[in-house]
Amino acid sequence: PVAAVEALKMLGTNGGGVFAANSAHPLEYPGHLSNLLSILGMLLIPSALTRVYGRMVGKPAEGRTLWWVMAVVFSLAYAAVVWIQAQGGNLLTSVGAAPAAMPLEGTKLRFTLPETALFTTATTAASCGAVNMALDGLAPGASAAPLLLMLLGEVVFGGVGTGLTGMIVMVLLCVFLAGQMVGRSPEYLGRKLDPAVMKRVAFAILAVPVIVLIGSALTVLMSSGVGTTLTTTDTPAHVF
């Protein structure tokens, strides 16, 4: 019963697991092969959509270029997670901890470091949300790579459809800026990027940050008075 849900979870980049431990649970991912298949499932459709895009616009090379850009960024993020996480194990050993290949807090011992890092990179790149380890268990530097993939808007392959759409928005912005720098009218796929197009691009880029910042500000303002009436005499010790 779980396997049928897992296929939908990964191919649709939905992320929600049957169990609380998500993809770290042995009934969701019992071994190495299932872990590899889940990673392929997350990236399969978003990766294929770059080819679809190239054929739709009549320029297959354009689709290949987008795929390679995504692949390079993905590879750099994966390499950073593996290398920094391994160095974290060395740092722990240097302060007297037991020797280990990596910091083990929040990780599953049946998955190796390359497997865990690949799954972590893939799920944050594809905006899936499935995890086979606790992301806050990564070493401080290693957690920066998946965080960067999320802050980019999860456009490195990204979710089904949304990743490619976000990447095209980034491409339009880069083409516009490059055209301004060299003094040429920016064009993409033979069409000039007029002010109307760039206004829509700016809206798409700013929409998420504006929503997040406004929501964060409201949360801080609404919660600023919580706990102000408590004193040290009536506050349980475990709160501190």
Side-chain angles (χ1 to χ4, degrees), residues 73-160:
V73 176
F74 182 91
S75 301
L76 291 175
Y78 171 64
V81 174
V82 172
W83 186 79
I84 299 175
Q85 191 73 353
Q87 297 303 310
N90 296 334
L91 292 174
L92 290 175
T93 305
S94 67
V95 295
M102 62 176 177
L104 298 178
E105 190 273 326
T107 63
K108 291 298 292 184
L109 297 181
R110 56 197 172 91
F111 295 132
T112 62
L113 173 56
E115 288 176 301
T116 300
L118 184 58
F119 195 105
T120 298
T121 307
T123 190
T124 51
S127 71
C128 181
V131 290
N132 68 352
M133 70 163 295
L135 295 185
D136 57 357
L138 289 168
S143 63
L147 181 61
L148 176 62
L149 293 175
M150 289 186 280
L151 292 176
L152 285 174
E154 294 169 326
V155 297
V156 180
F157 296 114
V160 176

Side-chain angles (χ1 to χ4, degrees), residues 168-180 184-201:
I168 292 174
V169 170
M170 296 292 183
V171 169
L172 293 176
L173 177 63
C174 291
V175 170
F176 175 77
L177 293 177
Q180 297 300 309
R184 293 182 57 186
S185 298
E187 294 184 5
Y188 183 64
L189 299 178
R191 176 180 174 180
K192 292 186 181 296
L193 301 183
D194 54 32
V197 173
M198 294 315 301
K199 286 178 181 178
R200 291 195 289 269
V201 170

